[in-house]
Amino acid sequence: MSKGHVVIQLPEGPWWDWDVVEWNAGRLRLGAGHDISYAHHLELVFSDPVLVRCPASFHDPVFRAPTPDEVQLVADQVGETPPVVLAFEADAGGPDRATCLIAADQLDIVQGTVFRYLREVAPGERLAPWVQSPVA
C-alpha cells in the first residue's frame, strides 16, 4: 500500500502495456503487463478515486512526484488534498506524451495473473471483471 505524494515503486517486471480494468465510484483499477491482450500481471488499485486524468489505455508510463501546481489543482477541484496523488507521463498514441494525474484515498499495488478471456484459473489467478461465463 502506498500513501502520499511520492513516486511509486513498482515491482520488477515488463510493465509497458496499461489500461483501465475497472472504474466506478469506489475503485479505479489499472492493469499492466508486457502485452495485455490476453492477461495482465500487475494492478494499481485506487480506492475512492476523486480525480482521474488518464487515457483508457497507454504505454510506458514514467511515474513522478506531482508538482505543487498539480496538488493544488486537485485540492481546488475536490475541496481537499487526498492521501494519494499520483502523477505520470505516458505514451497514449499522440505526438506528445500524455500528462496523467490520479487522486484517491488509497493505492494498492497487486501482482498476479488476471486473464482477460474465459478459462479455468489456478490458485492465485483470476478473471478480469468483464469476463463472464456463457448463460446455459
Side-chain angles (χ1 to χ4, degrees), residues 113-115 117-128:
T113 300
V114 181
F115 291 102
Y117 61 96
L118 188 60
R119 60 162 285 156
E120 294 291 322
V121 293
E125 299 175 339
R126 56 193 165 89
L127 300 176

Side-chain angles (χ1 to χ4, degrees), residues 97-114:
R97 291 180 64 81
T99 297
C100 306
L101 189 63
I102 301 172
D105 280 347
Q106 182 175 317
L107 169 59
D108 293 302
I109 299 172
V110 180
Q111 282 189 273
T113 300
V114 181

Side-chain angles (χ1 to χ4, degrees), residues 3-15:
K3 284 201 157 224
H5 314 282
V6 297
V7 178
I8 62 170
Q9 295 297 315
L10 296 179
E12 288 296 317
W15 314 127

Side-chain angles (χ1 to χ4, degrees), residues 53-100:
R53 287 188 176 177
C54 81
S57 63
F58 52 91
H59 307 287
D60 196 24
V62 176
F63 296 96
R64 59 174 175 76
T67 66
D69 286 344
E70 288 170 329
V71 173
Q72 187 62 51
L73 173 82
V74 171
D76 289 347
Q77 290 193 6
V78 302
E80 64 182 6
T81 303
V84 175
V85 179
L86 179 70
F88 59 97
E89 271 74 41
D91 177 357
D96 296 327
R97 291 180 64 81
T99 297
C100 306

Side-chain angles (χ1 to χ4, degrees), residues 28-46:
L28 171 66
R29 184 183 303 267
L30 301 177
H34 71 282
D35 176 356
I36 59 173
S37 300
Y38 299 104
H40 62 267
H41 304 284
L42 179 76
E43 292 182 336
L44 300 186
V45 182
F46 298 88

